[in-house]
Amino acid sequence: MELSEFLLQTQMDVRAEIGDRLANSDGASPYNESVFSEIVMQHMAEIGMTFPDYRVCHYTAKLSNANLRLSGYAVSEEGDQIDLFVCIYAGSDNLVPIPDSDTKTAAEQCLRFLANCINGKLVATMEKSHESYDLALTIRECYDKLDQIRIYVLTDRQAKAKNFKSREVNGKTIKLEVMDIERLHRHWSEGKPRDELVVNFNEVSGGPLPCVYVPGEMTDYDYALTVIPGEALRFVYEKYGARLLEANVRSFLSATGKVNKGIRDTLRNDPERFMAYNNGIVVVADEAYLGKTLDGNTGIQWLKGMQIVNGGQTTASIYFSKKRSPEIDLSRVRVPAKIIVLHSPDSATEEALISDISRYANSQNSVKQSDLSANKPFHVDIEKLSLSTYCPDGIGRWFYERASGSYNTMLGREGTTAARLRDLKAAIPSSRKITKTDLAKYLNTWDCKPHLVSLGSQKNFERFMETLSGEQEQSLAQPIDVPTYKKMIAKGIVFKKTQAIVRPMFPAFQGNVVIYLVALLSFRLGDRIDLDRIWNNQDISSELRLLLQTWAKEVNDVLYQSAGGKMISEWAKKQECWDSVRNAKYSQPQKNIPEIR
C-alpha cells in the first residue's frame, strides 16, 4: 500500500471511529486529534515502541504566558519510564507537509507540561477529576526514579525531521521524536525505517572492530562477526536512543525484569564474563567501511544505517545499568555482535529482509506474555472460529488478531485494489478487531474480576492465561464451539458499547468506570442476560443503554467515595475496591429491558 493510500485509509479509520462513538452516545463529539492519537498510540504499543497501557487525554493550559499541551501518555508497568504524546492533526486526505517549526513547537509545549509537573505547579492548579491529574502527580512524586522519558509528536502530515535534539530537564535527558504519517506507514508495512545513523568506531571505541567478514557473493548481504566494547554500545544508545532500535520488534522493559536484572548483575559482579554469558546482538546496516586494526587484521571502521534488530534489551540494559550504578566498569565488558550489511538494489525486498531478520532473530524469546501464548489451543480455536463465523447479516465478520499485526497483514494481502480494500474494511472494520489482550479483558471483566483487569493489559492477560492453564483449561480441552464463540463476542460487544456510553460522561478514569460497570452488570444480571440476542443484533438495546448510563454515574460515585483520597486508577487494582462497588446500592433496572430474561 502506497503512502497516499495509507493516509486515506487512516483518515477513514478516524472518521469511522468518530461516527461509531457519536452513534453510541449522546455526548459531545470527540476530538478528532484524540481519536487519531489513540489509533497511533495503539499501533505503537502493538509494535513495542511504547507501553501497552497507554491513555489518551486532551490537555491544554497557559501558565506564565506559556502554552502547555498533552494528547496522551504511557507509563511502563514498573513506573520507571514515561512516554508523553502531543498531536497535530490536519484531517486532510492528501499528503501535506508540516514545517519542522510546528512539530518542534508542539514538542516544546509538551516539554513545558513536563516541567510544570515536576515543579508541582500543575498539581496545584489542575482539578483532581481531570484525566491528566494522575500523570501530573506521578511525575511530581516519582521524577527522580524515572529512567527514561520520551516525547512523541504525532501528526497525519509529512514531517522532514523525525527527531530533535534531546533536552535536559532537572538532570534527566528527554528524547524528542516525531511520528508522522510517513514513519507510521513504514512501521505499518513492516519495513522499519532506518534513520541515517553513522557510527564511527574509530571515535567511539578507539579503532576498528576486529571481525570475521564474509562477503555475500551469492546473496544480497555481507556478513560479519565481531565484538563491541560495552562503553561504545552505551555511548551509541545514549546518542541515538530509540532510533537505534526501530527495526527491533521489542522495546526495553525494565531492569527489574528477570533477564534484564541478570544483565545488570553480570555487569556489576562479573563484567569480564559478560561475553560468555550473553547471546549478543544482531545488527543490520546499509554500508560498512572496512579498515585495519592495530595488528593489521580486518576491522569494521564505521557503519551507516545501523539498526539493532535483536539485543535491544541487552543494549538498553547496559545503558540504564551504568546510569543507575556509575561504579560499573564497562571497559571490561565486550558484547558479541552479528552484523548483516545489506546491498539489495530493491528497497522493498531489503525492507522485507530486515523485517524477517528481526522476526526470526527475536523468535527465541518474545517479550509479551500475550505473544508467547499466541499458539495455545484456546487462541488457535478462537482464530479459526473468527474466520468461519459470519455475523447475522451473512457478510460481516469479527477478526481475532491472534498474531500481532495480522489484521493489517490481512488488509495488505487481500486488499489488492481500492475497491477490494474498501469492501474488506466494510465487512471487517477495525472496530470488529479483537486482540488477545482485548478478549482477556472482556472475559475477565464479565467473570467479575475488574481489579485484575485494572492491572493493565499484559498483567491481566497473564492472570487470564493462568486461569486457562488451571481448571478452566481442562474444560476447554475440547475445541470451542460456535455458540460459545458467539457468547464471547457478545460480551465484547457489551464492553465496547459500554465504553462508548461512558467515554463522554466523565472527564477522567473512564476506563476504570467501564470495567467496573460491566463487572457490576454481570454480577447482578449476568445469568439473566441473553447474550445470543446481543450477538444477533450486534448491539445492545436503548433500554440497556439507559440502565448503563444510570449505573455509570453511581459506579463513578462509589469509586471516588471508596477510594478515600487515593488515586482511582490505583485503588481500582484492589480487591477491596471491587468489594465496595459490588456491595453498594444501585437503581433498580427497568422491567422492559429486552436482553434481560
Side-chain angles (χ1 to χ4, degrees):
M1 184 184 298
E2 297 298 323
L3 177 57
S4 58
E5 296 173 319
F6 175 75
L7 171 63
L8 185 59
Q9 176 187 306
T10 302
Q11 304 297 17
M12 289 170 59
D13 289 343
V14 172
R15 292 163 192 156
E17 182 65 24
I18 291 173
D20 186 58
R21 293 185 187 183
L22 286 174
N24 288 288
S25 73
D26 298 324
S29 175
Y31 289 110
N32 291 9
E33 76 166 33
S34 294
V35 175
F36 174 74
S37 297
E38 185 171 357
I39 289 173
V40 178
M41 289 164 66
Q42 180 181 6
H43 175 75
M44 291 175 68
E46 288 174 352
I47 63 174
M49 282 192 71
T50 192
F51 309 107
D53 296 317
Y54 56 85
R55 292 175 182 249
V56 176
C57 58
H58 180 80
Y59 182 81
T60 58
K62 180 172 276 192
L63 285 178
S64 303
N65 293 322
N67 291 318
L68 283 61
R69 283 186 62 201
L70 182 75
S71 301
Y73 64 93
V75 182
S76 66
E77 288 188 357
E78 292 76 15
D80 56 355
Q81 299 172 73
I82 287 180
D83 291 339
L84 303 178
F85 302 89
V86 58
C87 181
I88 304 175
Y89 182 70
S92 173
D93 290 343
N94 300 311
L95 286 171
V96 179
I98 183 169
D100 288 345
S101 58
D102 288 3
T103 51
K104 191 173 183 179
T105 296
E108 294 282 357
Q109 292 172 344
C110 199
L111 265 172
R112 292 191 201 108
F113 173 91
L114 175 67
N116 282 279
C117 287
I118 298 167
N119 62 30
K121 289 183 179 179
L122 273 186
V123 172
T125 59
M126 187 184 292
E127 292 185 6
K128 290 185 177 181
S129 61
H130 195 279
E131 55 193 341
S132 300
Y133 181 80
D134 261 9
L135 174 66
L137 191 63
T138 298
I139 292 175
R140 189 194 70 177
E141 295 181 348
C142 305
Y143 188 73
D144 290 342
K145 300 177 182 178
L146 294 177
D147 285 328
Q148 178 172 276
I149 305 159
R150 297 177 295 195
I151 290 177
Y152 286 99
V153 179
L154 312 179
T155 179
D156 60 337
R157 294 160 70 182
Q158 199 168 11
K160 183 177 180 181
K162 301 297 193 281
N163 70 290
F164 297 109
K165 183 179 179 181
S166 298
R167 302 296 180 85
E168 291 289 328
V169 178
N170 283 33
K172 293 189 183 293
T173 301
I174 316 299
K175 293 178 169 33
L176 308 179
E177 303 277 341
V178 179
M179 178 63 78
D180 68 340
I181 194 67
E182 182 180 35
R183 189 174 178 189
L184 183 64
H185 172 246
R186 288 174 180 171
H187 280 288
W188 185 92
S189 59
E190 290 194 339
K192 306 299 187 292
R194 299 188 308 283
D195 295 292
E196 288 300 309
L197 307 181
V198 178
V199 179
N200 188 328
F201 292 104
N202 286 330
E203 297 176 357
V204 300
S205 60
L209 301 178
C211 72
V212 175
Y213 199 90
V214 182
E217 296 177 356
M218 294 183 293
T219 64
D220 50 2
Y221 65 88
D222 295 345
Y223 183 93
L225 287 176
T226 188
V227 172
I228 301 177
E231 178 57 33
L233 198 57
R234 184 209 65 80
F235 175 83
V236 172
Y237 183 81
E238 181 179 51
K239 183 176 181 180
Y240 295 113
R243 288 191 297 148
L244 190 69
L245 308 178
E246 277 202 8
N248 196 316
V249 298
R250 308 182 295 178
S251 63
F252 178 64
L253 295 181
S254 168
T256 58
K258 186 182 295 183
V259 174
N260 298 329
K261 186 175 182 292
I263 291 173
R264 182 200 65 193
D265 291 344
T266 301
L267 291 171
R268 181 179 294 163
N269 303 322
D270 297 295
E272 67 282 347
R273 294 190 177 182
F274 190 88
M275 187 166 64
Y277 294 165
N278 191 270
N279 290 330
I281 66 176
V282 180
V283 172
V284 295
D286 292 324
E287 297 178 30
Y289 183 79
L290 301 181
K292 293 294 183 180
T293 61
L294 292 176
D295 58 8
N297 292 316
T298 300
I300 298 174
Q301 193 160 307
W302 53 256
L303 291 173
K304 181 180 179 182
M306 175 179 170
Q307 288 275 282
I308 297 174
V309 297
N310 178 249
Q313 303 298 300
T314 295
T315 304
S317 291
I318 288 173
Y319 171 78
F320 285 115
S321 295
K322 177 67 175 178
K323 189 172 183 180
R324 293 173 181 172
S325 305
E327 73 276 6
I328 288 177
D329 183 8
L330 292 182
S331 67
R332 299 160 65 191
V333 174
R334 296 293 183 272
V335 182
K338 178 170 72 174
I339 297 176
I340 298 166
V341 183
L342 305 161
H343 48 76
S344 172
D346 181 0
S347 60
T349 301
E350 189 171 273
E351 294 295 347
L353 176 61
I354 293 171
S355 178
D356 288 340
I357 292 169
S358 178
R359 183 181 299 113
Y360 296 136
N362 283 282
S363 63
Q364 293 182 2
N365 50 338
S366 186
V367 170
K368 297 179 183 177
Q369 177 64 32
S370 56
D371 290 334
L372 287 171
S373 304
N375 293 322
K376 295 282 187 182
F378 174 81
H379 300 294
V380 173
D381 289 344
I382 297 294
E383 181 185 49
K384 289 179 180 178
L385 286 164
S386 74
L387 294 172
S388 59
T389 306
Y390 286 82
C391 294
D393 63 7
I395 300 173
R397 285 192 290 115
W398 285 77
F399 188 94
Y400 187 61
E401 193 171 59
R402 181 174 66 87
S404 180
S406 59
Y407 177 77
N408 287 335
T409 300
M410 179 272 295
L411 292 179
R413 184 180 65 249
E414 299 182 26
T416 51
T417 65
R420 176 61 179 152
L421 180 62
R422 185 174 61 251
D423 292 343
L424 264 177
K425 291 183 71 64
I428 317 173
S430 58
S431 59
R432 285 204 197 122
K433 180 187 80 170
I434 294 180
T435 66
K436 297 183 295 297
T437 52
D438 286 338
L439 187 63
K441 176 171 61 178
Y442 303 153
L443 298 185
N444 264 358
T445 301
W446 196 263
D447 286 344
C448 299
K449 301 173 183 176
H451 53 295
L452 297 185
V453 179
S454 298
L455 292 173
S457 59
Q458 289 300 318
K459 287 186 177 179
N460 174 63
F461 186 84
E462 290 174 12
R463 305 302 193 279
F464 177 73
M465 292 307 298
E466 287 170 4
T467 303
L468 285 186
S469 62
E471 296 178 2
Q472 191 171 347
E473 188 176 56
Q474 296 176 7
S475 67
L476 292 172
Q478 299 299 320
I480 300 168
D481 58 17
V482 172
T484 302
Y485 167 76
K486 290 180 177 179
K487 285 181 171 60
M488 289 180 179
I489 298 300
K491 294 172 184 176
I493 291 173
V494 172
F495 193 100
K496 290 166 80 71
K497 298 300 179 181
T498 303
Q499 206 169 33
I501 292 168
V502 169
R503 219 182 238 121
M505 292 181 66
F506 308 106
F509 310 114
Q510 303 101 323
N512 298 117
V513 175
V514 170
I515 293 167
Y516 273 83
L517 177 55
V518 174
L520 179 69
L521 178 71
S522 176
F523 177 72
R524 295 211 157 190
L525 302 170
D527 57 345
R528 296 170 53 197
I529 290 181
D530 189 348
L531 293 171
D532 291 331
R533 178 189 176 93
I534 293 172
W535 164 264
N536 290 330
N537 292 330
Q538 293 290 295
D539 203 349
I540 60 176
S541 65
S542 57
E543 293 85 355
L544 183 54
R545 288 178 195 277
L546 184 60
L547 174 65
L548 290 170
Q549 285 176 335
T550 302
W551 279 5
K553 297 174 184 175
E554 296 169 351
V555 166
N556 184 64
D557 290 343
V558 174
L559 285 174
Y560 273 96
Q561 292 166 7
S562 62
K566 302 183 187 75
M567 286 191 293
I568 301 299
S569 56
E570 291 302 312
W571 171 236
K573 299 174 183 178
K574 308 294 184 182
Q575 172 71 49
E576 293 83 359
C577 180
W578 172 229
D579 293 340
S580 298
V581 171
R582 69 181 177 180
N583 293 325
K585 292 183 179 180
Y586 298 93
S587 301
Q588 287 297 315
Q590 297 295 319
K591 295 183 179 180
N592 62 340
I593 299 177
E595 288 89 347
I596 299 179
R597 299 187 187 92

